Amino acid sequence: MITPIKPKDSKIISCTQEQNCIYFTSELGILRVLVFNNDIIRVSFTAEKSFDIHQTEEFLTPATKPEYTFIKSDNFYSVCTKHLICKIDPETSSVSFFQKEDSGVQTLLFSEKPHNSHHVEKFDSFISAGKIETQEIKTADGVKKQILSADKTFDKTLYRTRLDFLLDADEKIFGLGQCEHGKWDLRHTKQYLNQANKKIAIPSFVSSKGYSVLFSTQSPSIFCDTDSTYFYTTADYYLDYYFIAPLQKSDIVKCTRQITGKALIPPKWAFGYVQSQERYETQEEILNVAAEFKKRDISLSCIVLDWLSWEDGMWGQKSFDKSRFPTPDIMIQTLAKNNVHFMISIWPSMDEKCQNYKEMLENNCLLPGVNICNSFDKKARELYWKQAREGLSNFGVESWWCDSSEPSTPEWNHYEIPPEELQFAEYLQNAQDIMPLEKSNAYGYYHAKGMYEGQKSDFPERRMLILTRSGVLGSQKYGVTLWSGDTSASWETLQNQLLAALHFSLSGIPYWTFDIGGFFVKKGINWYWNGDYDNTVENPSYRELYTRWLQLGAFLPMFRAHGTDCRREPWAFDDESHVFYNAITDFIKLRYTLMPYIYSVAGKVWKDDEQFIRPLFTQFNDSKTVEISDQFMFGPSIMVCPVIKPMYYDKQGSAINTPKIRRVYLPVDCAWYDWWTGQKYNGGKWLDCDAPIDKIPLFVKEGCVIPVNENNSIKALRFPDNNGTCEPFELYEDDGVSNNYLGGKNKVYKIF
C-alpha cells in the first residue's frame, strides 16, 4: 500500500527582524513582510533559504527607513505602520491587512485564504540553443520566424506561484491592464494576463474598498475569481506582492509609482493633435498633408510615418528609402518650420536581407532562432539604438513609434479567434521558446528602455517620446505612451475602448491612447480584421462613429488619429459645409484651447504622481460612482461624458430617430458646471444632457480654475463654489522640449 507523503506544515516556528523586514520561517519556507512606507507593505514567500535579488530589480526601494512596530502575541503577529496593520496567523502563515483610523478603529481590507494561501512550485527553465528548426509565417506585423523544434539548454530554476485570497461578496475589482472584454467589474471572471496585439497585461488590481494588490511578476499570469479566488504566475523567483492602501483611494496610483517609478513628461507638442494613418508613402505626401492642414487652418502638432520607411523587402531596417525619402533631414526641418513634429515607426523584427539583421546576427543580438532583437540583453539594446541613431536619429528623428513590441502574438495566426485559455497556452509556449519566461511579458518594457537610454546618452537635450503597444509596471520611467493596438471600427469597440482606458489608468502608466476610428474599418477573412464599414467614409454611420471616437480621443493624454482602409485626415470626413468635418475640427480647436490645463496636468503627473484619466470611484466618495464606467475625470477638474452609442445612423447608413441626449450622473461630492452653457447643477443627480454630433457633455467641478488659450494668451476660467471662491490652479510651464525640467528649470504659477 502506497503511503501519501505528508505535506509540510505552514505553522511558524521562528521569526527574525532585520531593519524594515520580518522573516517568518515554517516547514514550507520563509514568509517575508517588508514595510515599504505607511501605505505599502510587501509580502513575499520562498521555498528557498533566501530571496533572490532579481525578482524586483526594476522596482524601487523605500526612499527612507520606514517607521513601524512589530507585535507578537499568541493569536497573531502584527506589523503596524501609521495607517496599516498587517496580521500574520502563527498557525497558518496567512496574512491579512487592516486599515487603522485615527480613532483606533480597524477595518479589514484584504485577507489571504485562511489555510494554504501560499503556493510555489519549482521547475527548471530552459532556453533554445543548438539545433533550431523554424518556419517563416506572414503576419500583419511582417514576416516572422516561428520555432518548430529546438535543442534546449538549462537556464535557471524558477517557480510557478499562486496566492489564494478572499474577497467580500459586494466587493468590485478593476485594473489588470488593458483588455477588450468589455467588462467593468472583474469579479467572477478569469483574466489571462499575457501580452497581445490588443491586450496589455498589468499584474495589479484595485478594489472598490480602496486598496490595490500589485504583483512584481513579469511573466504571464492569471487572475481567477470563479470557483476560487487566486493570482497565479508562470515564472518567478518567489511569490511576491505589494499591498497598497492609502487613506485616500485617489492616492493609489501615486503609491504605485513609489514602487515602479516616476512618469516623465512628453514634449509639449505631443499633447497636440497627432495625424497618422497606414500609411504615408513618400516625403512629398507627408509635406503635402502638413501643408493642407496649414491651408485649412487646422492645428497639427505631429505627423507619423508608419511602416515601410525602409527600402521595399527590407522589413525592419532602420533607414529611409532614398527613392521615396530623398532628403529626410530637409523634410523634418520643413515640418518643424511650421511647428509640426515627425514620428517614425521602428520594428524589432528584421528581414534577413537587411543590414540591420546581419549586424544583429553577427553580434549574437537576436532572440534564439528568430529575426527579432533580443531587447532583454543590454548589448543588443545598445546595438538597436546605434542602428536607429545612424539611420534615423542623425537625420533629426526625435520621437519613436516602437511598433510590434510583443515578439509573440500567436492569436493572430488564426482565422478564427481562439478561446482565451488557448491564446494563453500558445503565448506561453511561444514565449518560452524565444524569451526568458520570467520576463516574457516585459519585452516592450526592455525595448523602450534601450531606446530611452540610447537617446539619453547621445542626445541628452532631447525629451523622450515613445509610442508603444506593450508595457508593464514601470514603463512610465522611459517616456512611453501605450496604445491599444489594432482595433476594429464598431460602436462596441468604442465602448470597450473606454472601459480599457479606465482599467489601464490604474496601472500607474499615465500615458495611453488609441487609434481614433479603429485601425480596421472593413471586414476581412481574419477574425481581427472585423470592422463594420466596408464602404468606410462613404457610410455616414462610420463618419458618425469616427466623430464620436475623436471627441473621446480629445480627452486622452495623446490625441491621435490612425488606421487602415481609408484616409484619416479631417477632410476625409466631408468639408466645411458638413457637420462631421466641423465637429472634428472644433474638437481639435478645443484640444488646443485646453493646452495650458493639459500641460499643467502633465506637470502634476510628473511632480506629484497624479493621473490624466481618473475613474470616478477613485476621486469621489459617492457610492454610486463605483458603478459608472462611461464617464471619467480628465485631470482633477473636468468630467468627460463621451457619446458611445449611435444617434444618427444605423450600421447600413440609414437615418435613425433617436433622441440626441446623453444621460449623465453628477457625483454628490460637489456641484458641477456645464462646460458649454455655464449652468451650475448640484451633485447627486442624473441629467439628460444635449449631445448633438458636435458636442459631448463636459462638466467642471465647482471651485476650480481652468486655464485656457485665448487670443495667444492664457485666460483663467473660474467656476466658483457657493462662496464665490476657487482653489488656486497650479499653472505649469517649462521649455516644452528639453529635459531641463528634471533639473528644476520649470515654473509653477498659482492662478485664481
Side-chain angles (χ1 to χ4, degrees), residues 298-317:
I298 304 172
S299 296
L300 175 67
S301 290
C302 177
I303 193 164
V304 182
L305 176 57
D306 200 353
W307 63 279
L308 209 62
S309 58
W310 50 80
E311 294 180 6
D312 194 21
M314 298 293 180
W315 187 284
Q317 174 74 14

Side-chain angles (χ1 to χ4, degrees), residues 514-526:
F514 49 39
D515 293 350
I516 291 173
F519 183 76
F520 299 112
V521 182
K522 300 179 179 180
K523 192 175 297 292
I525 190 173
N526 303 91

Side-chain angles (χ1 to χ4, degrees), residues 492-706:
E492 181 183 9
T493 300
L494 177 57
Q495 293 157 16
N496 291 348
Q497 288 287 282
L498 176 52
L499 285 167
L502 299 188
H503 281 299
F504 187 76
S505 71
L506 301 171
S507 69
I509 306 172
Y511 294 102
W512 183 91
T513 188
F514 49 39
D515 293 350
I516 291 173
F519 183 76
F520 299 112
V521 182
K522 300 179 179 180
K523 192 175 297 292
I525 190 173
N526 303 91
W527 65 267
Y528 50 80
W529 206 310
N530 194 34
D532 280 344
Y533 305 96
D534 284 342
N535 52 350
T536 66
V537 296
E538 295 178 8
N539 189 334
S541 178
Y542 180 61
R543 297 201 295 273
E544 179 187 358
L545 172 64
Y546 186 91
T547 302
R548 295 305 197 185
W549 212 313
L550 180 134
Q551 290 169 341
L552 171 56
F555 292 93
L556 296 182
M558 178 179 278
F559 182 27
R560 166 183 165 273
H562 182 65
T564 192
D565 293 332
C566 63
R567 306 288 300 198
R568 299 303 172 103
E569 298 88 1
W571 51 90
F573 302 86
D574 291 328
D575 57 27
E576 295 93 329
S577 64
H578 290 81
V579 66
F580 295 117
Y581 176 91
N582 289 319
I584 288 168
T585 55
D586 283 350
F587 268 77
I588 293 174
K589 290 176 184 176
L590 178 59
R591 177 74 174 199
Y592 285 89
T593 297
L594 289 170
M595 188 64 73
Y597 172 80
I598 293 170
Y599 198 61
S600 295
V601 174
K604 296 284 281 185
V605 168
W606 165 62
K607 289 195 303 97
D608 301 327
D609 297 312
E610 292 194 359
Q611 295 169 265
F612 271 99
I613 304 167
R614 307 178 185 208
L616 295 188
F617 82 91
T618 67
Q619 305 299 301
F620 302 105
N621 294 319
D622 187 334
S623 61
K624 291 182 180 179
T625 60
V626 78
E627 305 287 349
I628 296 176
S629 60
D630 58 357
Q631 303 171 208
F632 64 96
M633 297 299 295
F634 182 62
S637 306
I638 300 176
M639 184 167 65
V640 182
C641 311
V643 175
I644 53 177
K645 294 181 180 179
M647 294 180 174
Y648 290 85
Y649 299 97
D650 65 16
K651 192 185 300 184
Q652 288 70 41
S654 300
I656 56 177
N657 185 19
T658 301
K660 311 306 184 279
I661 297 294
R662 165 57 155 98
R663 193 157 174 77
V664 170
Y665 182 71
L666 304 179
V668 74
D669 303 59
C670 61
W672 296 86
Y673 286 87
D674 185 312
W675 170 265
W676 305 106
T677 67
Q679 185 172 349
K680 188 177 181 181
Y681 299 90
N682 291 327
K685 64 173 62 176
W686 289 92
L687 290 180
D688 288 330
C689 300
D690 290 336
I693 190 64
D694 60 348
K695 185 185 295 184
I696 62 172
L698 299 172
F699 288 86
V700 180
K701 286 169 56 178
E702 69 169 341
C704 291
V705 175
I706 305 290

